[in-house]
Amino acid sequence: MDLLTAILRASMASFYFVLICFCALLLRIFMGKSLKHPQYPPVMGTVFHQLLYFNRLYDYYTNIARKHPTFRLLAPTQSNLYTMDPQNIEYIVKTNFNKYSKGSHFHEILEDLFGDGIFNVDGDEWREQRKIASFEFSTRVLRDFSCAVFRSKAAKLAETILRFAAMNQTFDIQDLLMRCSLDSIFKVGFGVDLNCLEGSSEEGRAFTKAFDDSNRHLCLRFVDPFWKLRRILNLGSEGALKKNIKIMDDFVLGVISNRRKQMFELQSYNDKEDILSRFLVESKRDPQRITDQYLKDIILNFMLAGKDTSAGTLSWFLYLLCKHPLIQEKVAEEVREVIDCKENGTNINDFVEWLTDTALQKMHYLHAALTETLRLYPALPGDGRCADTDDVLPDGFRVKKGDGVFYLAYVMGRMTYIWGEDAEDFRPERWLDNGVFRPESPFKFVAFHAGPRICLGKDFAYRQMKIVAMVLLRFFRFRFADETKQVTYKTMLTLHIDGGLHLTTIPRVVFDKF
């Protein structure tokens, strides 16, 4: 009995301790947050609601935003403000750019993967990386080199799909696009041939899986108030994240070491085609500051921008084309007209040589369809800043110093008060004026962000997506492998299709040998 009594007392003590901790957490969440004050955005929940709805998180935000364009969710140390108002977004990311930073909270959450890379830093570090990257993206050398790589990888992708078609097999197009995009970004960005699409790189596939898993684990940190405790205890997603970081660190540091060795052996530090080589030139001038660890952070940041943006968008693009076969045929017809496929369209390797900048610029309907895809399924569904001072937004709501301020591209694409009553329809024509592509305000269409931190690789991404899309739709007609299967996203920092996108295809032409 004494033992049973002791166990019961210990259990009760543990219960009361947990209860007290939970109550203390609730008090910390709700106290000092101006809950009913009309000058602050309405409170629509807490981080616990985000955890509850994590697997459908962006739809959870969407349902709230239909009634409240600006609202708050409460966290232990601050309020997180979410706004879909383009005026507020312009104010945050441009007009008062210096009052809103990534901040220590964002940096701490993303640091394990992205370190001090361009997406995770402010101030002088951000300006330096952006200056170097901006120079690279503007050079003709990189543009010509990247186009050649994109054409080559698109041809290999088409050859891979043709083999599936010949055997009448289904395939996961998202997986193929991710591997193709990874090959492209490593070649263009870092001068390395991974050959993941052809399945010859075990290390490359392990790196990709580790990167994608880490992407989801970091997203969970934004809504999990206990992530630091789980990191200390090495539990659950935090334990898995630590293992994945080790895999990526070893792989990327090996890439840097090999690339530096190649440049040293060739005695060539000028006019390099790939982006990493440009940063290696800078590290040679200032090795104390631009270390291998710093270069690793830069690579992983470019990985997020280069692989997931293009491959993810193309996956959703093909999903939408399968849902709307008439639009698929309109894009294919534009390809035939622009390239004159009667003369130049039966051999894959010959066809890709016709995909010049001039040809890409004529693809207005394709550009509109890709942009419409990004409106509904943006590669980065949400982004945010931290308020560095108390402020008042254009819609009249107040922000407190330290509050997170988020804008959600996925949600904005579904708001009728931004895009009209057909906001949730896939309609590329909304981007066309007499057949010519017409852009919208970057504060309304925020898929590439806006203001000083607008995406440097926007044109780069469109170029890659157009080349791949033109090759695929010239040679194949795509259909769902299972028309009844519901397609949805996996909640991550970037918008992947959960479980992949399984398609079948029918060749549009009788192929020459290639």
Side-chain angles (χ1 to χ4, degrees):
M1 286 295 293
D2 290 341
L3 178 60
L4 179 60
T5 301
I7 292 173
L8 287 173
R9 286 177 177 173
S11 298
M12 289 300 294
S14 298
F15 171 77
Y16 284 123
F17 176 76
V18 171
L19 181 62
I20 291 169
C21 290
F22 182 71
C23 290
L25 179 62
L26 288 180
L27 283 173
R28 186 167 176 79
I29 287 175
F30 287 101
M31 287 184 65
K33 301 291 176 61
S34 305
L35 300 181
K36 299 290 186 179
H37 200 299
Q39 291 184 332
Y40 289 89
V43 175
M44 302 308 298
T46 70
V47 288
F48 295 114
H49 292 85
Q50 293 172 300
L51 277 172
L52 181 64
Y53 294 103
F54 184 72
N55 288 332
R56 304 296 302 142
L57 187 61
Y58 303 117
D59 293 307
Y60 166 70
Y61 293 141
T62 299
N63 290 332
I64 298 174
R66 289 194 174 104
K67 295 181 180 179
H68 304 283
T70 303
F71 61 91
R72 281 187 294 163
L73 298 174
L74 304 182
T77 57
Q78 80 282 339
S79 294
N80 285 332
L81 184 150
Y82 298 81
T83 185
M84 313 314 134
D85 188 331
Q87 291 183 91
N88 286 348
I89 295 168
E90 182 173 6
Y91 182 86
I92 294 161
V93 304
K94 180 184 177 184
T95 309
N96 278 277
F97 176 78
N98 292 328
K99 288 185 178 180
Y100 294 87
S101 64
K102 286 291 183 179
S104 59
H105 179 65
F106 283 81
H107 188 277
E108 186 178 24
I109 286 176
L110 300 177
E111 184 178 16
D112 286 342
L113 180 57
F114 299 116
D116 292 322
I118 193 170
F119 296 130
N120 204 34
V121 291
D122 296 300
D124 291 340
E125 283 186 294
W126 170 73
R127 291 186 187 91
E128 177 191 36
Q129 291 184 46
R130 189 172 178 89
K131 179 181 178 181
I132 297 173
S134 179
F135 174 83
E136 278 302 309
F137 278 115
S138 65
T139 62
R140 186 174 184 84
V141 171
L142 180 64
R143 185 170 67 250
D144 291 346
F145 178 54
S146 64
C147 278
V149 172
F150 296 154
R151 288 194 291 261
S152 171
K153 301 303 181 183
K156 289 184 184 300
L157 176 62
E159 293 168 10
T160 301
I161 293 173
L162 180 57
R163 286 192 284 272
F164 283 108
M167 294 183 289
N168 198 28
Q169 290 183 338
T170 64
F171 52 91
D172 180 359
I173 190 64
Q174 179 174 252
D175 176 60
L176 294 179
L177 287 165
M178 287 291 178
R179 285 196 267 158
C180 178
S181 185
L182 185 67
D183 284 347
S184 297
I185 194 63
F186 261 84
K187 183 63 177 176
V188 173
F190 320 122
V192 176
D193 281 309
L194 285 185
N195 295 319
C196 284
L197 183 60
E198 297 172 344
S200 61
S201 175
E202 291 289 342
E203 285 185 325
R205 288 200 298 275
F207 171 84
T208 304
K209 185 179 186 307
F211 186 85
D212 291 344
D213 288 348
S214 299
N215 183 321
R216 181 171 171 84
H217 298 328
L218 290 180
C219 187
L220 182 60
R221 282 183 174 182
F222 278 99
V223 302
D224 180 6
F226 305 112
W227 72 266
K228 290 183 183 179
L229 176 61
R230 289 194 293 108
R231 181 172 66 176
I232 292 171
L233 299 175
N234 202 34
L235 295 175
S237 62
E238 289 298 319
L241 177 62
K242 186 175 181 180
K243 293 178 182 178
N244 287 329
I245 295 294
K246 177 68 166 57
I247 292 171
M248 289 183 288
D249 282 357
D250 291 346
F251 183 78
V252 173
L253 290 172
V255 168
I256 294 169
S257 176
N258 289 336
R259 196 76 186 101
R260 179 181 280 112
K261 182 179 179 182
Q262 290 171 3
M263 291 177 67
F264 176 78
E265 289 174 349
L266 294 172
Q267 293 294 309
S268 174
Y269 280 84
N270 298 310
D271 298 325
K272 300 306 297 181
E273 295 173 317
D274 61 273
I275 297 169
L276 174 59
S277 295
R278 174 70 181 175
F279 280 98
L280 284 171
V281 169
E282 295 300 316
S283 72
K284 190 170 184 288
R285 295 169 182 163
D286 190 357
Q288 297 299 318
R289 187 169 53 86
I290 304 181
T291 62
D292 282 4
Q293 181 67 33
Y294 189 64
L295 292 171
K296 176 185 73 71
D297 294 344
I298 291 171
I299 285 180
L300 290 173
N301 278 251
F302 274 100
M303 275 291 305
L304 181 71
K307 178 179 79 73
D308 286 32
T309 299
S310 299
T313 301
L314 284 167
S315 300
W316 289 108
F317 171 70
L318 288 171
Y319 160 71
L320 289 166
L321 292 192
C322 289
K323 284 189 68 175
H324 302 86
L326 293 180
I327 295 178
Q328 183 173 170
E329 293 310 307
K330 286 185 72 171
V331 177
E333 178 60 27
E334 185 179 53
V335 175
R336 289 192 291 269
E337 290 176 356
V338 167
I339 303 300
D340 187 11
C341 287
K342 292 180 181 178
E343 296 292 330
N344 312 305
T346 58
N347 180 282
I348 295 173
N349 287 326
D350 289 343
F351 175 81
V352 297
E353 295 303 317
W354 290 90
L355 303 184
T356 62
D357 275 347
T358 300
L360 299 183
Q361 290 167 9
K362 294 178 181 178
M363 297 292 298
H364 292 282
Y365 193 80
L366 172 58
H367 196 99
L370 288 167
T371 305
E372 181 73 344
T373 301
L374 282 162
R375 185 182 70 84
L376 290 169
Y377 297 100
L380 196 66
D383 198 8
R385 300 287 185 270
C386 177
D388 294 331
T389 184
D390 292 349
D391 202 2
V392 181
L393 299 177
D395 64 3
F397 285 124
R398 292 182 176 275
V399 180
K400 292 183 179 181
K401 180 180 178 179
D403 282 353
V405 184
F406 295 84
Y407 51 98
L408 306 173
Y410 179 94
V411 177
M412 292 176 69
R414 288 157 174 75
M415 294 299 105
T416 56
Y417 51 76
I418 297 177
W419 296 101
E421 292 303 315
D422 64 349
E424 297 195 60
D425 296 339
F426 178 64
R427 192 170 67 82
E429 287 77 11
R430 78 175 74 241
W431 296 93
L432 298 173
D433 185 4
N434 292 322
V436 176
F437 181 81
R438 174 181 51 81
E440 287 281 1
S441 163
F443 310 106
K444 175 180 176 181
F445 174 68
V446 294
F448 290 98
H449 310 300
R453 295 187 83 128
I454 193 168
C455 178
L456 285 170
K458 177 181 177 181
D459 293 338
F460 187 88
Y462 269 117
R463 190 179 299 122
Q464 181 182 13
M465 291 189 295
K466 283 184 177 180
I467 288 172
V468 173
M470 290 174 75
V471 172
L472 295 186
L473 293 172
R474 166 58 191 136
F475 292 105
F476 304 102
R477 182 178 290 108
F478 294 95
R479 296 175 181 170
F480 292 123
D482 182 356
E483 295 278 353
T484 65
K485 184 178 179 181
Q486 183 180 4
V487 174
T488 187
Y489 58 81
K490 178 185 289 188
T491 302
M492 302 168 61
L493 296 177
T494 49
L495 205 68
H496 289 198
I497 297 175
D498 191 16
L501 181 63
H502 298 272
L503 303 180
T504 62
T505 187
I506 300 172
R508 293 180 183 270
V509 301
V510 176
F511 283 91
D512 294 341
K513 291 184 178 180
F514 47 81

